[in-house]
Amino acid sequence: MADLTKSVTAPALRPTVPGSHLLEVDDLSVEFRTDYGTVRAVNALSYHLDNGETLAILGESGSGKSVSAQAIMGIIDTPPGYITSGQIRYQGRDLLTMDKAEQRAMRGAEIAIVFQDALSALNPVFTVGAQIAEMFQVHRGTSKKEALAHAAELMDRVRIPSAKSRLKDYPHQFSGGMRQRVMMAMALALDPKVLIADEPTTALDVTVQAQIMELLLNLQAENGMGLILITHDLGVVGEVADRVAVMYAGRIVETGGIHEVFGSPAHPYTVGLMNSVPRVDQRGQRLSPIIGSPPNLADIPPGCSFHPRCPRAEVACREERPPLREIVLGRQAACHFAEEILDA
Amino acid sequence: MSSPPNVSSGQGQDGSLLRSSDAPDPTQSRLPVTTDDTSTGGDRQASLWSDAWRQLRRNPIFIVASMLLLVLAVMAAFPQLFTNTDPRSCDLANSRGGPGTNGAWFGYDLQGCDYYANVIYGARVSMTIGVFVVGSSLFIGVVLGALAGFYGGWFDSLMSRITDIFFGLPLILGAILLLNAFTGERGTFQVGLALIAFGWMTILRLLRSSVISVKAADYVQAARALGANDWRIITTHILPNAIAPVLVYATILIGGVIAAEATLSFLGIGLQLPAISWGLQINGARNFVRTSPYLLLIPSAFLSATVLCFIMLGDALRDALDPKLR
Amino acid sequence: MGRYIARRLLLTIPVLLGSTFLIFAMVYALPGDPIAALAGDRPLAPGVVAELKDRYNLNDPLLVQYGKYLGALLQGDLGTDFAGRSVSETVAERLPVTVKLALVAVGFEALIGLIAGVLAGIRKDSFFDNLVLVTTIAVVSVPVFVLGFVAQITLALRLNLFPISGIGEGLYSYLLPGFVLGSLSLAVVARLTRTSLVENLRNDYVRTARAKGLPPRTVLAKHALRNSLIPVVTFLGADLGALLSGAIVTEGIFNIPGLGRTVFQAVQSGEGAVVVGVVTLFIFFYIVFNLVIDIAYAALDPRIRYE
Ligand SMILES: Nc1ncnc2c1ncn2[C@@H]1O[C@H](COP(=O)(O)OP(=O)(O)OP(=O)(O)O)[C@@H](O)[C@H]1O
Ligand code: SF4
Ligand SMILES: [Mg+2]
């Protein structure tokens, strides 16, 4: 048994000195007020990102990955969505309390996003050239002609063959992979310092996925931006991420360096994730998916939200929520028994 | 703090299951994704209709509209339940006596007939024509549309051209021309025929296109593979799944047909006196709108309310049958 | 594209032939003697009857009559009415009136319908949205002739805001009848715009537009509205063709000397040549408008491909 009293009194972990990182998400909560009740999609979420760093965010469907990304971008629909607490600090300044125009100036220019499904994320009735050029026209006031020239350069940069002649094509005239490149060209137009990639390859063929991932990493290396990579693909995370944050029911349950977390997970949910996918180094072992289904976010279980599905759950788990706490230097987990799991 | 552990389901997180399009793929290292097993055609349609019914029952608009229509239907079938007065026993002495005269709620018309009785009896023509025309149009449109959609080929092309030809003539204009060509008496039946002649095309088109889209569905292909014959496939698998949009349209069309009959009668080319129809009553009120506005307003209100009921009913049906529209 | 238009035009021919034949048959072939109808209660001299029958080819079988009519039509000859006046002349005189009326109607539809639809769409479920919903349902439920009638009585007769009938006061006299004529479609436009906008606002590319840092106004006007307007413009175009014949009722009520009233009077007096000529013209407009819309669709939505 771990020392419960100690872990309960430990304060929620926050970045030590505000502004010491490029992007700091601090105690962020988002809820959706729907006819079926209040869906608490993101709960007291905190993480940070540095220049040139890749942070992978993992978690089952519905764990709040996309909603937290949308909150950073400032594109949550109100209603039904409301940000109920927290700060999102970019270079030390809180995006949520900035005035609207200033916030808009950041959007796309400093922090950009690439969505999962490029076909629906691009406007079907405008040419890709016009959609990329719009970034320059709106943020920099560039003339249309000049903006289109920039757009062609960008399409070149994301390796779209014969970029110039394709400026006037419409999204539906591109293949899935090429469309995702267009999305990336648009996101990278103004050299943002933070790029959020929300499952950028999920909608693509396996072979194309690898190309897009590689391109993404090359581009990141070129301009040294911080990358938040939201994905379901543990293989990719293992290869590209510096740090990983595992989300469950709108909270981070474990975070730390990629090798440490993947090498010896400290949270039962992370353990479950690792066991539910085939791994090269453990060929022949049986896969054991996590039993049960994700919690209803309109009615999150009390105590540790994972307890109904947790193989290690004890009575305490139902009553006390384990805070996210430092278990080893640079590693945090939200489980009463994190140390024991780590040692096992 | 001691609430029992909540073994929750995925419900309430609307759409999150549907939105993860990535199926688990053992060759890829992916997180497990819960998927719904897809149900068969039969289950789908059963749940479509029972879901629709459950939603309808809770929709106040549906309840109000169907209650009113029920009253109108009874009014059409048994007008005696609503009035003891014979609409045709008139006394010129009462001509255009306003509402309240001699205790007549809606007053008297030009001939001195009880206006309340006349308006009540007017429901019969409207309801009869509405049901007759839309019923027949449904029959024509559904049969031909199902055949055209299912078999395609020359029959489909022929049907498309014929509908195109009839579409060129709008309902009212076509009916005017046809009614004018009928010699002899123009009664409910003739007016109905004229409206059917130019009112069936949309049903055919709607049904044809939904049959085509349903035809490609897996469960229809499965039924085919199992050797079901065409008739069985059309009647048990395709029609029940293709009919929803047609029913919505047909409900609204009843309102449209009722308005069209009134328009034709108003123009003097539909029903003829001494028939009792709201359109004729409105026509009769033409010259007295200054002095006796109630002659215009009362039948207009009944007519509009009837049309309104059918439109609301159709709207409610659409909302219930097509959840993604809202 | 060129091939598509050519094919569509070719397909139009059987439809035009079919529709004109349909009209022709209804006017001339069905029981009933147009000459007798013309004469009404006064019997005509046998000589006059024979001459008239000859002039209108009434002694030929229907198909031959139709053939002769088509032949003349191709040379731009719509025939003459019983008074000997050329139908083309009548059309040339009356058509501009009806076109003006229809344009006023479409103008109202586009202006009021679009504005109401957009305002309702961006504030979905607000008071205004519900107000638009209720108003449009009410307008759709009241038959046009009732609406026209009531409008005439209240706005023109009682309040004296508009001329009661006729076109004596220029464009001003078209306002009320134009509004009445367009009212039904105005309601449809409002609801179509609203639904379409609400649907489009939910689309991913609207989210992308916001993520690009565009001001809300640009997101709405450029990205969401542009796409929402596609079905609305299509409807407006198709409606312009339908309004011509819708004018029958409106022109009747407001006593406007356009083609609608002309054709209705011709039906009643048995002027077959006028009826066939004018209705053929209506159908021609209808078909041409539809063709134009189909083509315009490509300009609005690049995803549509013609082959
Ligand atoms: N507009 C909305 N209205 C109501 N609920 C919403 C809305 N958007 C998101 N949610 C809810 O928020 C929760 C978190 O959704 P989110 O999209 O962040 O999941 P995710 O982790 O990105 O999942 P996935 O892997 O499927 O993309 C879900 O339960 C979802 O139903
Ligand atoms: S706190 Fe308890 S229930 Fe939650 S993960 Fe740890 S052991 Fe499982
Ligand atoms: Mg997501």
Side-chain angles (χ1 to χ4, degrees):
Chain A
M1 266 286 195
D3 185 357
L4 282 181
T5 40
K6 190 180 134 218
S7 56
V8 167
T9 47
L13 202 122
R14 293 187 178 184
T16 37
V17 186
S20 55
H21 300 285
L22 175 64
L23 179 74
E24 292 161 359
V25 176
D26 189 358
D27 191 36
L28 178 73
S29 301
V30 183
E31 61 184 42
F32 293 96
R33 297 174 193 156
T34 70
D35 296 345
Y36 316 101
T38 301
V39 175
R40 299 183 200 285
V42 173
N43 301 293
L45 183 73
S46 301
Y47 61 72
H48 61 88
L49 181 75
D50 288 316
N51 270 317
E53 189 188 30
T54 302
L55 169 70
I57 299 190
L58 276 176
E60 278 171 309
S61 203
S63 53
K65 307 183 296 292
S66 299
V67 171
S68 55
Q70 286 164 17
I72 296 173
M73 292 307 299
I75 55 173
I76 286 187
D77 277 314
T78 309
Y82 296 87
I83 295 180
T84 51
S85 78
Q87 294 191 336
I88 298 171
R89 289 187 296 269
Y90 173 75
Q91 295 182 331
R93 298 188 54 214
D94 184 12
L95 295 173
L96 297 179
T97 49
M98 267 180 203
D99 73 62
K100 291 262 187 293
E102 219 179 333
Q103 216 181 333
R104 257 200 325 273
M106 297 277 178
R107 223 177 269 164
E110 300 288 324
I111 307 176
I113 187 164
V114 174
F115 293 109
Q116 169 180 343
D117 181 5
L119 180 60
S120 59
L122 292 169
N123 193 326
V125 303
F126 294 111
T127 63
V128 299
Q131 294 187 58
I132 301 174
E134 197 176 23
M135 295 294 289
F136 297 99
Q137 293 171 281
V138 169
H139 287 278
R140 303 249 166 97
T142 319
S143 76
K144 178 150 194 200
K145 193 160 160 244
E146 211 177 312
L148 278 171
H150 285 315
E153 282 163 28
L154 276 164
M155 284 167 70
D156 224 26
R157 204 169 137 207
V158 297
R159 327 253 145 82
I160 294 175
S162 49
K164 214 172 179 136
S165 65
R166 304 219 61 182
L167 274 179
K168 284 215 158 65
D169 283 351
Y170 290 92
H172 71 271
Q173 293 165 310
F174 288 79
S175 70
M178 286 299 149
R179 271 198 294 266
Q180 195 56 280
R181 285 167 197 259
V182 171
M183 256 327 274
M184 282 160 62
M186 205 156 80
L188 294 172
L190 305 177
D191 281 319
K193 300 207 172 57
V194 175
L195 181 67
I196 305 174
D198 189 352
E199 307 192 34
T201 60
T202 310
L204 304 174
D205 287 346
V206 183
T207 46
V208 184
Q209 287 184 347
Q211 296 167 7
I212 294 288
M213 260 335 287
E214 198 192 316
L215 175 65
L216 196 59
L217 294 175
N218 287 342
L219 294 168
Q220 184 198 13
E222 274 172 34
N223 67 356
M225 59 192 174
L227 175 66
I228 297 178
L229 180 65
I230 299 174
T231 178
H232 286 187
D233 195 328
L234 293 192
V236 166
V237 172
E239 276 170 39
V240 309
D242 301 312
R243 285 188 301 118
V244 60
V246 181
M247 284 187 71
Y248 187 82
R251 295 173 188 278
I252 291 185
V253 293
E254 174 160 15
T255 173
I258 182 70
H259 299 298
E260 288 79 21
V261 172
F262 273 29
S264 54
H267 191 283
Y269 179 65
T270 320
V271 175
L273 283 186
M274 309 297 300
N275 288 339
S276 65
V277 295
R279 281 167 50 177
V280 194
D281 55 331
Q282 291 173 3
R283 213 172 273 264
Q285 275 200 0
R286 280 195 55 203
L287 295 180
S288 45
I290 304 169
I291 48 162
S293 47
N296 177 356
L297 295 180
D299 186 13
I300 298 178
C304 174
S305 11
F306 187 54
H307 82 253
R309 300 169 73 189
C310 180
R312 286 211 47 156
E314 296 190 11
V315 182
C317 304
R318 250 188 260 167
E319 285 160 9
E320 300 292 343
R321 173 176 358 267
L324 184 64
R325 62 201 167 85
E326 188 127 26
I327 44 167
V328 188
L329 189 65
R331 282 193 65 176
Q332 298 144 27
C335 171
H336 294 310
F337 311 108
E339 285 85 356
E340 291 163 40
I341 297 166
L342 193 60
D343 292 340
Chain B
M1 269 305 196
S2 58
S3 62
N6 183 354
V7 187
S8 55
S9 65
Q11 271 175 9
Q13 315 170 36
D14 69 317
S16 64
L17 289 179
L18 295 172
R19 263 193 284 129
S20 63
S21 53
D22 42 349
D25 178 352
T27 64
Q28 286 284 105
S29 48
R30 289 195 175 284
L31 300 188
V33 175
T34 350
T35 48
D36 259 343
D37 46 343
T38 38
S39 42
T40 63
D43 291 350
R44 272 169 21 101
Q45 91 200 30
S47 76
L48 172 74
W49 294 109
S50 62
D51 281 357
W53 175 233
R54 210 171 324 124
Q55 206 191 322
L56 278 180
R57 261 187 342 206
R58 280 181 305 168
N59 185 344
I61 291 186
F62 171 79
I63 296 173
V64 171
S66 41
M67 293 291 211
L68 283 176
L69 286 176
L70 197 70
V71 172
L72 278 163
V74 175
M75 199 183 278
F78 311 106
Q80 303 86 348
L81 289 178
F82 291 81
T83 172
N84 292 322
T85 320
D86 179 352
R88 294 215 171 82
S89 80
C90 314
D91 181 355
L92 269 178
N94 288 329
S95 179
R96 294 201 283 131
T101 314
N102 301 340
W105 291 6
F106 292 173
Y108 294 91
D109 69 8
L110 185 64
Q111 267 71 45
C113 318
D114 181 65
Y115 213 42
Y116 173 72
N118 266 277
V119 170
I120 293 289
Y121 275 79
R124 176 171 286 178
V125 161
S126 292
M127 295 299 266
T128 314
I129 288 210
V131 171
F132 168 53
V133 170
V134 173
S136 315
S137 302
L138 265 179
F139 181 76
I140 300 171
V142 167
V143 170
L144 296 182
L147 294 177
F150 191 75
Y151 290 109
W154 65 267
F155 183 72
D156 187 26
S157 313
L158 180 70
M159 280 295 124
S160 296
R161 290 295 85 72
I162 294 182
T163 42
D164 280 349
I165 289 171
F166 277 81
F167 259 123
L169 275 174
L171 186 63
I172 295 287
L173 181 56
I176 288 177
L177 293 183
L178 193 55
L179 280 171
N180 192 58
F182 289 150
T183 45
E185 164 204 34
R186 290 198 297 261
T188 310
F189 180 68
Q190 283 79 2
V191 174
L193 276 189
L195 289 172
I196 294 168
F198 294 94
W200 53 276
M201 299 84 72
T202 305
I203 294 181
L204 188 148
R205 277 202 185 166
L206 277 177
L207 197 86
R208 171 185 175 273
S209 54
S210 35
V211 164
I212 288 176
S213 63
V214 172
K215 194 169 74 169
D218 287 345
Y219 57 89
V220 174
Q221 296 306 326
R224 266 208 167 143
L226 292 174
N229 66 27
D230 289 357
W231 170 251
R232 207 183 137 67
I233 290 179
I234 294 181
T235 52
T236 67
H237 291 284
I238 293 189
L239 280 187
N241 283 298
I243 201 89
V246 173
L247 284 187
V248 171
Y249 172 77
T251 312
I252 294 172
L253 182 65
I254 300 181
V257 164
I258 290 175
E261 179 276 320
T263 308
L264 290 170
S265 300
F266 169 79
L267 289 173
I269 202 123
L271 295 179
Q272 315 276 283
L273 287 172
I276 298 179
S277 142
W278 293 332
L280 285 175
Q281 287 158 12
I282 296 171
N283 188 353
R286 278 194 102 147
N287 299 320
F288 310 103
V289 282
R290 242 184 227 275
T291 44
S292 313
Y294 68 95
L295 288 179
L296 165 70
L297 294 179
I298 293 171
S300 297
F302 271 74
L303 175 61
S304 305
T306 309
V307 177
L308 177 68
C309 284
F310 282 107
I311 291 178
M312 292 197 311
L313 196 66
D315 260 16
L317 260 181
R318 175 180 14 231
D319 285 352
L321 287 171
D322 190 353
K324 70 175 180 294
L325 275 177
R326 267 268 148 178
Chain C
M1 187 74 161
R3 285 189 49 196
Y4 172 77
I5 297 177
R7 225 191 51 168
R8 274 293 312 259
L9 279 175
L10 275 180
L11 275 181
T12 304
I13 293 173
V15 174
L16 249 180
L17 283 179
S19 316
T20 44
F21 182 71
L22 188 66
I23 306 161
F24 204 83
M26 282 194 291
V27 173
Y28 288 119
L30 286 167
D33 182 348
I35 304 292
L38 165 74
D41 298 332
R42 303 162 283 134
L44 290 175
V48 179
V49 171
E51 201 233 281
L52 281 174
K53 283 203 164 181
D54 198 43
R55 169 132 57 101
Y56 295 102
N57 305 316
L58 293 182
N59 295 320
D60 294 332
L62 183 70
L63 270 177
V64 176
Q65 286 181 38
Y66 178 61
K68 286 185 180 170
Y69 180 79
L70 272 188
L73 188 66
L74 284 181
Q75 295 162 16
D77 177 9
L78 286 173
T80 50
D81 62 17
F82 289 137
R85 189 166 190 240
S86 122
V87 176
S88 323
E89 229 173 83
T90 312
V91 166
E93 181 190 309
R94 304 288 177 91
L95 180 64
V97 174
T98 301
V99 167
K100 258 186 240 165
L101 187 64
L103 285 179
V104 170
V106 169
F108 273 121
E109 288 170 23
L111 202 73
I112 304 180
L114 274 181
I115 292 176
V118 168
L119 291 181
I122 52 179
R123 303 213 190 294
K124 181 172 177 289
D125 295 331
S126 66
F127 173 76
F128 185 77
D129 184 20
N130 285 309
L131 184 74
V132 168
L133 185 75
V134 171
T135 318
T136 51
I137 289 192
V139 168
V140 170
S141 317
V142 181
V144 173
F145 73 96
V146 174
L147 191 74
F149 220 3
V150 173
Q152 189 182 38
I153 292 160
T154 52
L155 300 181
L157 207 66
R158 286 258 159 93
L159 299 178
N160 256 322
L161 294 176
F162 297 95
I164 297 168
S165 65
I167 50 170
E169 293 181 35
L171 191 61
Y172 189 60
S173 34
Y174 285 97
L175 286 186
L176 191 59
F179 183 79
V180 168
L181 178 60
S183 60
L184 182 73
S185 306
L186 191 156
V188 177
V189 167
R191 292 196 70 180
L192 201 59
T193 310
R194 186 255 182 211
T195 317
S196 174
L197 183 60
V198 166
E199 232 163 63
N200 272 291
L201 282 173
R202 268 203 288 254
N203 271 334
D204 283 356
Y205 56 76
V206 172
R207 197 182 57 184
T208 308
R210 286 196 288 149
K212 282 163 94 173
L214 308 187
R217 190 176 297 227
T218 315
V219 174
L220 178 73
K222 187 170 167 191
H223 287 272
L225 210 51
R226 165 72 203 269
N227 297 279
S228 318
L229 287 188
I230 295 173
V232 180
V233 170
T234 314
F235 174 82
L236 279 177
D239 197 46
L240 195 58
L243 282 181
L244 291 181
S245 38
I248 292 181
V249 176
T250 318
E251 290 184 356
I253 292 176
F254 290 95
N255 217 6
I256 289 176
L259 280 184
R261 211 184 55 165
T262 306
V263 81
F264 187 66
Q265 286 169 345
V267 167
Q268 286 184 318
S269 59
E271 285 273 16
V274 179
V275 176
V276 176
V278 173
V279 178
T280 302
L281 195 73
F282 282 166
I283 293 181
F284 180 75
F285 275 127
Y286 175 82
I287 289 177
V288 168
F289 279 131
N290 273 308
L291 183 63
V292 171
I293 287 153
D294 274 5
I295 296 166
Y297 219 88
L300 290 170
D301 189 344
R303 283 164 300 181
I304 308 281
R305 256 185 291 143
Y306 296 106
E307 68 266 334

